[in-house]
Amino acid sequence: MISEVDWRDDKQLARLLKAAQLKVSSTCMQDIDWRASRGLNRALMAELATAQWVRDGRSVLLTRATGCGKTWLACALARQAARAGHAVLYTRTARLLQELHVAHGDGSFKRRLGQLARVQLLVLDDFALTPIAANERSDLLELLDDRVGSRATIITSQLPPTAWHAWLGEPTLADAILDRVVHGAHKIALKGESMRRSRAASTAEDAVAQDVGQVG
């Protein structure tokens, strides 16, 4: 029989996960692929699983080429944070910057920034994927400035942090943005081939094996 405390905890988790809008909702840190070729550090992942970094307002930077599992891992960490009772929000970076641009026009910019500032863990997926405009640089700085030292952020990117300065373009704003993101962050550069290609190859092999079995 489920206790009242467990029922409340389950209800809170369901509410937090619904609000989080995770791209991959079925993720779980217990399902992490620990293949050595991926370059994951078990000690660091165990530390991140405690969600203390969220309480400390630190960042996690997940980088590597597309398909290697950055978004999956970001969602797993976000789900773990929600299980610890933290408010989480997932968004693609370009989509959020576009949303803030629209908010300038309808007068809701300050209110939206305030809402985002209250989110204890913000996941910015596909960072530095598309060109960034001058107004978007300014909005990104304001967004991140509200989070320094008090709110946690996960950033996923195909580019390493060393390339973000060039992507941001304007040196002064780039310095300010990166100072708020990179300093004190946990940096995880995933390694290995595309997980999507691996899954596709595995599926193809299973299909071939099944066909061979049917023939035999």
Side-chain angles (χ1 to χ4, degrees), residues 72-84:
W72 189 98
L73 187 55
C75 289
L77 289 168
R79 184 183 181 88
Q80 189 73 8
R83 290 179 64 183

Side-chain angles (χ1 to χ4, degrees), residues 3-215:
S3 70
E4 184 177 349
V5 172
D6 290 337
W7 179 81
R8 283 202 203 116
D9 288 345
D10 289 345
K11 189 173 182 180
Q12 180 192 40
L13 177 59
R15 176 180 59 80
L16 289 172
L17 289 176
K18 182 178 180 180
Q21 302 176 44
L22 299 180
K23 183 174 182 178
V24 190
S25 59
S26 60
T27 55
C28 178
M29 293 196 70
Q30 287 83 350
D31 294 334
I32 288 176
D33 185 341
W34 290 109
R35 287 181 298 177
S37 59
R38 297 194 69 205
L40 286 173
N41 183 300
R42 285 180 179 269
L44 175 58
M45 298 311 297
E47 179 185 345
L48 294 178
T50 68
Q52 183 60 47
W53 63 281
V54 179
R55 292 184 283 275
D56 293 340
R58 298 183 65 181
S59 299
V60 172
L61 312 181
L62 294 165
T63 58
R64 183 58 177 172
T66 184
C68 68
K70 300 184 302 295
T71 298
W72 189 98
L73 187 55
C75 289
L77 289 168
R79 184 183 181 88
Q80 189 73 8
R83 290 179 64 183
H86 301 297
V88 176
L89 177 65
Y90 166 93
T91 183
R92 293 184 66 247
T93 305
R95 183 180 300 163
L96 180 58
L97 292 176
Q98 178 60 33
E99 178 189 330
L100 293 176
H101 176 69
V102 172
H104 279 289
D106 64 20
S108 64
F109 180 73
K110 288 186 180 294
R111 178 170 59 83
R112 184 55 178 150
L113 268 189
Q115 292 172 342
L116 292 168
R118 289 191 290 275
V119 174
Q120 291 160 300
L121 173 58
L122 179 64
V123 181
L124 295 176
D125 201 9
D126 289 331
F127 190 81
L129 184 62
T130 58
I132 187 167
N135 65 295
E136 292 175 331
R137 281 194 295 265
S138 298
D139 290 347
L140 183 60
L141 176 59
E142 288 205 51
L143 171 71
L144 295 172
D145 191 55
D146 286 340
R147 310 192 65 76
V148 177
S150 61
R151 295 289 184 265
T153 307
I154 295 177
I155 292 179
T156 78
S157 179
Q158 294 184 28
L159 299 177
T162 53
W164 295 352
H165 197 283
W167 171 72
L168 288 163
E170 203 287 313
T172 302
L173 279 178
D175 287 343
I177 290 170
L178 294 182
D179 180 65
R180 286 156 175 77
V181 171
V182 178
H183 180 71
H186 295 290
K187 303 175 185 67
I188 303 173
L190 295 174
K191 301 176 183 178
E193 65 178 3
S194 169
M195 299 285 286
R196 292 172 191 157
R197 284 198 295 270
S198 297
R199 284 194 294 268
S202 178
T203 301
E205 289 173 1
D206 289 344
V208 170
Q210 185 176 8
D211 289 342
V212 170
Q214 291 174 348
V215 171

